[in-house]
Amino acid sequence: MTPDHSPGPAGGRGGPLVVTEDEGLLDDVLRLCAAAGATPEVAHGVARGRSPGWASAPLVIVGADCAPRLCGAGRRDGVVLVARGADDRQLWRLAVALGAERVLVLPGGESWLVDRIADAVEGVGPAAVTVGVIGGSGGAGASTLACALALTAARAGRRTVLVDADPLGGGLDVLLGGEKEEGLRWPAFAESRGRVGGGALEEALPRLHSLRVLSWDRGDAVVIPPQAMRAVMAAARRRGGAVVVDLPRRLDEAVVEALAQVDVGLLVVPTELRALAAARRVAALIRTVLPDVRVVTRAGPGPDSGRAAELAPEEAARLLGLPLAGELGWETGLPAELARGAPPGANARGPLRHFGTAFWGRVLPGAAGSGAGRPGNAGAVAAGSGAAGSGAAESRAGGPVPGGSAAGGSAAGGWRGWLGEGVGGGPGEG
């Protein structure tokens, strides 16, 4: 075998080995390699037995014209037999003799082959654990929690991507103090179709506080095409680690595409009457697409703030008919920290950092105390995990609530009557 050696992508595993003497088939395969962002090694002649590049290439694409002469080569994984025209029994016999993982007849299998080439070159492993954060009401603090979760995962040494899927939210890069940082924003991906390379995406995004952030520029664009959301989310997840998505409180085609790739949703709910009423509507909407939605209750600033009386986190989750992921305590110094340029969760003793540490400890594979056996097993987050709310205010304001009940976890008859009881079971159901 006399290959033409070409360097693979920088930092990558090198391109696939293409073995064919059919010029038309070679043109097709080279075009598909270009679409996958891979630089192949082409073998123009073959000899029986093990050949240079056969064992080391991440993928071997063998043309049907050369397959009979390669049947004596050493067996290996990642061999695809490719032909043009009609499928026939001879192709399958050659595939068995060659040990090929798949028989592909072009042009019908082009999309699959592009993905397979890109996966082989990128060295794709298990998908990232993907968490969507949604505000149950306006001003619930979902963007702040999304940033804190992403930063906590990155500080733990996990590859982390933070995706701002809310074009009307003001920009997570601004919240992180990186609005002037160089890198691509959403408008640059508006025309994305098909497959986006995971490595290319990561290198193109701004790097803020050890994580990659996809946010918005300061232009007027407010729409993410659904196909662009699908392609970008798939690329962000493909290289493993953690992906956190800040989601809007509405359901358009782009949000549906994002939710389709989310493992668990966190609904951030201040424990106030109007917030709970709004959160019920948001939860009903989101659960039409994402089955696993959990509640994060957010405590108020304290009894002297003049705010409405609060429910216990467990009672709020029960009224919403959703599992409780934990309570997020009030972080008194947060506005001042943000004004100084510190990102959410920077305070090592604050509730945001405590919540993020406890959450990822239950969700991420290999994390200390993790019950997750594999990425995406967000069910490892224990319902009602009060530990996640470390730092939460213990006292709640007294006083009347609708129906004349006193505030507190055991006296919520007025809340129940106002919100209704027909929303499902307790925190462990749903």
Side-chain angles (χ1 to χ4, degrees):
M1 186 177 291
T2 56
D4 293 334
H5 291 280
S6 300
R13 305 171 64 206
L17 173 65
V18 181
V19 184
T20 183
E21 295 173 353
D22 182 329
E23 293 297 329
L25 181 61
L26 179 60
D27 287 344
D28 286 339
V29 174
L30 292 179
R31 172 174 53 84
L32 299 178
C33 286
T39 304
E41 178 181 304
V42 179
H44 294 293
V46 296
R48 194 173 186 85
R50 191 179 298 274
S51 306
W54 178 266
S56 59
L59 179 71
V60 178
I61 302 170
V62 179
D65 60 304
C66 291
R69 285 173 282 172
L70 277 174
C71 290
R75 292 281 183 133
R76 56 153 290 164
D77 294 331
V79 176
V80 177
L81 179 60
V82 182
R84 301 172 77 203
D87 191 356
D88 58 36
R89 291 184 178 181
Q90 178 61 19
L91 275 179
W92 290 96
R93 283 194 288 267
L94 286 172
V96 172
L98 195 61
E101 69 178 44
R102 182 151 180 164
V103 173
L104 205 63
V105 178
L106 302 180
E110 289 189 352
S111 178
W112 181 91
L113 187 55
V114 169
D115 283 346
R116 182 67 181 87
I117 294 168
D119 283 346
V121 171
E122 287 190 51
V124 174
V129 176
T130 306
V131 179
V133 186
I134 313 108
S137 63
S143 295
T144 301
L145 178 58
C147 289
L149 282 173
L151 285 164
T152 305
R155 286 190 185 100
R158 299 282 178 168
R159 173 197 165 272
T160 307
V161 179
L162 176 61
V163 179
D164 186 354
D166 186 358
L168 302 179
L172 295 186
D173 57 345
V174 177
L175 186 56
L176 292 170
E179 62 271 21
K180 295 182 180 179
E181 201 70 24
E182 291 187 3
L184 299 183
R185 267 69 173 178
W186 263 119
F189 296 94
E191 301 302 318
S192 298
R193 301 291 187 275
R195 182 188 178 100
V196 173
L201 173 70
E202 197 167 333
E203 290 301 316
L205 297 180
R207 183 179 177 88
L208 303 173
H209 308 287
S210 301
L211 64 129
R212 298 289 179 171
V213 181
L214 175 55
S215 189
W216 294 84
D217 61 11
R218 312 283 79 86
D220 297 330
V222 295
V223 176
I224 307 172
Q227 52 268 54
M229 177 65 80
R230 183 189 314 125
V232 169
M233 284 292 297
R237 300 184 69 224
R238 198 174 292 124
R239 303 187 75 194
V243 174
V244 180
V245 191
D246 183 23
L247 294 161
R249 294 167 53 226
R250 67 173 189 277
L251 208 61
D252 58 21
E253 291 184 359
V255 176
V256 169
E257 290 290 351
L259 287 170
Q261 300 193 56
V262 167
D263 296 309
V264 61
L266 297 180
L267 184 68
V268 186
V269 184
T271 48
E272 304 167 357
L273 176 59
R274 292 183 64 235
L276 284 168
R280 274 189 60 187
R281 299 186 182 97
V282 175
L285 194 65
I286 297 300
R287 292 181 74 192
T288 60
V289 183
L290 177 64
D292 193 351
V293 180
R294 296 164 185 257
V295 177
V296 177
T297 61
R298 184 172 66 79
D304 299 327
S305 65
R307 294 172 57 128
E310 297 179 351
L311 284 174
E314 295 79 10
E315 181 69 4
R318 196 198 68 78
L319 289 171
L320 292 171
L322 296 173
L324 179 64
E327 180 182 12
L328 188 60
W330 184 260
E331 193 154 337
T332 305
L334 182 61
E337 290 175 7
L338 295 177
R340 290 195 302 269
N347 182 357
R349 301 176 64 182
L352 285 167
R353 177 79 72 88
H354 280 289
F355 183 95
T357 301
F359 178 83
W360 291 122
R362 291 175 173 84
V363 172
L364 285 176
S370 173
R374 66 182 190 283
N377 187 9
V381 184
S385 55
S390 177
E394 294 298 328
S395 60
R396 292 182 170 81
V401 294
S405 299
S410 61
W415 297 87
R416 295 192 196 100
W418 198 89
L419 289 171
E421 294 284 1
V423 293
E429 301 177 18

